[in-house]
Amino acid sequence: MHRILSRLFLAMAVGTLTSFLAACEDTSSRAQTADGSPLPVGSGFDFYVLSLSWSPGYCRSEGARANRQQCGTGRSFEWVVHGLWPQFQRGYPEFCEPSTRENVSRSLAEKMFDIMPSTGLVAHQWRKHGSCSGLDQDDYFQTTRRAFAMIVKPDIDAGQSQSFSRSHLDVEEAFLEANDALRPEQIAVTCDRRFLRDVRICLTKDLSSFTSCPEVDRRHCQLRNLAVVPAP
């Protein structure tokens, strides 16, 4: 009986160890790095999320905390790039080593100011997301520009001079109408407090087409109506 129990205990221990090792392998190669452990540069990911920010909404919702390069007097940005994010079907990598320690040069940041209008935004997006793309800085930001150019950005404020209400579905529909190949399961509209903030569009890794992204799509704005701040 003792021998049988010993064998049973050994089998259970081996099974537990095997499951633990498998979980560790899966976490290191696929899971979001929420625990702070970095993924290596060039780790595989499934698709990109292009996050477009409605700049007037960002500036209004952040108020005095908003970046002055983007929101200062005389600034009149509309749709800008919040970021181009490598994404898994579940979760995402972030702050990948060793590229997360690389600074973005002032000259490179300035080349992006027409679509990413602040040094801090460019630098942060490289460290958090670009470092996980497997691309160097030049290629990552060129890819970001290509992704931005792919999308037809609708005129959502329609000449309004004051903030007005629209549902997130109205904003989504405007993008669907402007981009024939785009489908509802490939886009999500987000809000901050009550303001329209981002439109997130899922793209294949080679930027050849849009792609479905159920996890991203589920994280849409939950408000019935959101405030759209018109461009200055």
Side-chain angles (χ1 to χ4, degrees):
M1 176 65 71
H2 178 72
R3 181 175 298 175
I4 293 175
L5 290 175
S6 296
R7 289 178 177 175
L8 179 61
F9 176 78
L10 179 60
M12 292 174 61
V14 171
T16 300
L17 179 60
T18 301
S19 298
F20 173 77
L21 292 175
C24 289
E25 180 181 1
D26 182 66
T27 298
S28 65
S29 62
R30 298 290 298 168
Q32 176 182 344
T33 56
D35 61 356
S37 57
L39 293 176
V41 173
S43 293
F45 60 96
D46 297 317
F47 58 93
Y48 280 118
V49 174
L50 175 65
S51 184
L52 298 175
S53 176
W54 179 244
S55 186
Y58 159 76
C59 296
R60 179 70 62 84
S61 64
E62 292 296 321
R65 298 174 300 176
N67 184 281
R68 293 297 92 192
Q69 281 184 279
Q70 182 171 345
C71 303
T73 302
R75 305 296 185 182
S76 58
F77 295 103
E78 297 184 4
W79 292 109
V80 298
V81 174
H82 180 175
L84 182 68
W85 305 336
Q87 191 89 8
F88 300 141
Q89 292 298 335
R90 297 183 62 184
Y92 52 88
E94 58 182 9
F95 296 110
C96 295
E97 293 283 5
S99 296
T100 188
R101 294 192 295 268
E102 296 179 8
N103 293 323
V104 177
S105 68
R106 176 73 183 183
S107 61
L108 178 54
E110 288 177 347
K111 291 178 182 178
M112 298 301 294
F113 280 178
D114 59 322
I115 63 171
M116 298 182 75
S118 84
T119 307
L121 174 62
V122 172
H124 177 71
Q125 290 303 311
W126 164 253
R127 288 193 298 270
K128 184 173 182 178
H129 300 290
S131 65
C132 301
S133 67
L135 303 173
D136 63 26
Q137 290 182 6
D138 286 332
D139 286 342
Y140 172 70
F141 287 113
Q142 287 178 18
T143 300
T144 299
R145 187 174 291 281
R146 284 177 53 211
F148 181 78
M150 284 179 61
I151 310 302
V152 179
K153 276 72 71 176
D155 180 15
I156 63 165
D157 57 4
Q160 297 278 349
S161 59
Q162 296 182 339
S163 297
F164 60 98
S165 294
R166 290 186 77 170
S167 74
H168 78 273
L169 291 176
D170 287 338
V171 176
E172 180 176 299
E173 184 61 30
F175 272 84
L176 295 176
E177 290 180 357
N179 298 270
D180 290 340
L182 186 61
R183 298 292 177 262
E185 64 273 14
Q186 300 165 341
I187 181 174
V189 176
T190 71
C191 51
D192 182 33
R193 301 179 179 90
R194 62 188 182 90
F195 296 101
L196 168 66
R197 285 293 295 269
D198 285 6
V199 172
R200 298 174 181 174
I201 298 173
C202 300
L203 303 166
T204 57
K205 291 172 69 172
D206 62 358
L207 303 187
S208 63
S209 62
F210 304 113
T211 188
S212 297
C213 47
E215 185 177 75
V216 175
D217 186 38
R218 284 194 296 269
R219 295 178 179 175
H220 60 76
C221 180
Q222 299 298 316
L223 297 178
R224 182 181 297 274
N225 289 297
L226 47 83
V228 179
V229 180

